[in-house]
Amino acid sequence: MVKIIMHGCNGHMGQVISGLVAQDPDAEIVAGIDVADQGKNSYPVYTNMKECQVEADALIDFSSAKATDALLDYCAERKLPVVLCTTGLSEEQLAKVEETAKKVAVLKSANMSLGINTLMKLLQDAAKVLATAGFDMEIVEKHHRLKLDAPSGTALALADSLNEAMDNQYHYTYDRSQRRQMRDDKEIGISAVRGGTIVGEHEVIFAGPDEVIEFKHTAYSKAVFGKGAVEAAKFLAGKPAGRYEMSDVISAK
Ligand SMILES: NC(=O)c1ccc[n+]([C@@H]2O[C@H](COP(=O)([O-])OP(=O)(O)OC[C@H]3O[C@@H](n4cnc5c(N)ncnc54)[C@H](O)[C@@H]3O)[C@@H](O)[C@H]2O)c1
């Protein structure tokens, strides 16, 4: 039984994970931490992180970048492996993540879904064959109308996977409206669609002479991120200090 502390337990993802873990015989949330609490959880909730000294195997964080510095210090001090899912960290915070990973196990990923992380691995193999054979690579992502940033962090991470497989020789294009020229060989086009309540769709297109291969991932609910985070917490429990990725969780399966 993996004992988990849920940081940001009263937020959207914190509640998704509370629901998932309640149905999971191999995991238990032993405490929650959140700045706001209405006492509706089945586990004790601390509004002041320092007061939470409950014994646990791992901490899952879906909260706010404003909380990240104190959280990293807390986990390092308690030697508590941490699954860091909060996005929007500053350069300084990313450096602090690396420093903290010298003292305790840290897994950070902008997209916790096992599907997207598996897709990234598959894309690298595909790019090495297809891009080398002259196929053009394009990404189309679709999200709900409320999303503020474009393209999505996940689309950029997919592009980075493709580019890394091709020795980082490619550049990214987000808008072709201002130019009148054919696409560059070493270009990855990234297009963003916004509308309705689409949770998240990512399509990676390899377009070659007379044939096209498409990889598509669709998230139907935020539960996919929650499931990945719980898998990551189980993986991280008992691991020595170091920096871990979702790809490590997938490889261990
Ligand atoms: N990595 C992924 O796959 C993934 C997926 C979904 C969301 N996210 C990220 O996770 C974060 C949370 O997402 P959400 O949808 O649950 O947001 P949310 O706003 O619904 O929940 C955040 C929770 O954190 C709490 N919180 C804020 N500041 C805090 C602090 N200083 N200490 C403790 N608790 C604090 C809030 O009270 C709230 O309950 C965001 O950064 C989001 O981008 C990542």
Side-chain angles (χ1 to χ4, degrees):
M1 174 76 79
V2 175
K3 294 179 185 162
I4 296 169
I5 294 177
M6 183 66 229
H7 188 253
C9 62
N10 289 328
H12 192 110
M13 287 307 304
Q15 287 298 298
V16 166
I17 289 171
S18 300
L20 287 170
V21 173
Q23 308 294 322
D24 188 336
D26 301 324
E28 181 190 3
I29 297 186
V30 289
I33 303 171
D34 203 301
V35 281
D37 185 42
Q38 278 99 44
K40 60 186 176 189
N41 296 296
S42 57
Y43 45 79
V45 176
Y46 296 82
T47 50
N48 180 345
M49 184 162 50
K50 288 190 182 129
E51 284 171 12
C52 176
Q53 293 300 326
V54 178
E55 207 188 302
D57 301 305
L59 179 146
I60 298 178
D61 165 56
F62 278 95
S63 61
S64 157
K66 286 185 196 140
T68 302
D69 292 85
L71 177 68
L72 290 171
D73 290 340
Y74 172 85
C75 291
E77 200 173 300
R78 290 200 56 191
K79 296 277 178 278
L80 186 59
V82 51
V83 181
L84 210 56
C85 309
T86 298
T87 56
L89 305 191
S90 67
E91 289 298 321
E92 291 77 23
Q93 287 178 316
L94 293 174
K96 192 174 168 93
V97 169
E98 301 306 325
E99 280 306 305
T100 306
K102 291 177 186 160
K103 299 175 203 154
V104 68
V106 181
L107 186 149
K108 186 181 81 63
S109 172
N111 190 310
M112 297 302 297
S113 95
L114 292 178
I116 283 286
N117 284 281
T118 305
L119 178 59
M120 284 181 186
K121 286 182 88 174
L122 297 173
L123 287 177
Q124 295 212 319
D125 288 341
K128 280 180 193 149
V129 177
L130 300 172
T132 304
F135 281 56
D136 296 320
M137 300 188 287
E138 293 277 318
I139 298 173
V140 180
E141 59 98 336
K142 302 176 188 172
H143 281 89
H144 52 86
R145 69 197 314 280
L146 300 176
K147 188 167 176 63
L148 301 177
D149 53 319
S152 67
T154 301
L156 289 171
L158 292 170
D160 287 346
S161 284
L162 296 170
N163 197 15
E164 193 185 287
M166 301 309 295
D167 297 328
N168 294 312
Q169 291 171 22
Y170 280 65
H171 61 90
Y172 307 159
T173 296
Y174 310 103
D175 178 11
R176 296 189 171 106
S177 66
Q178 301 303 313
R179 65 179 216 205
R180 276 254 173 263
Q181 63 187 65
M182 62 173 275
R183 87 189 300 291
D184 190 35
D185 288 347
K186 298 272 189 287
E187 168 175 308
I188 300 173
I190 308 178
S191 312
V193 176
R194 294 288 172 266
T197 57
I198 302 169
V199 176
E201 283 183 29
H202 292 87
E203 248 176 282
V204 180
I205 302 160
F206 292 89
D210 302 318
E211 56 181 343
V212 172
I213 299 176
E214 294 175 347
F215 291 79
K216 182 176 177 186
H217 179 269
T218 305
Y220 288 105
S221 91
K222 287 195 170 186
V224 293
F225 309 122
K227 280 182 197 151
V230 174
E231 289 293 320
K234 288 178 183 170
F235 167 84
L236 219 55
K239 286 279 183 303
R243 187 70 168 76
Y244 298 86
E245 307 284 343
M246 273 309 278
S247 53
D248 298 319
V249 179
I250 293 165
S251 303
K253 273 184 165 297

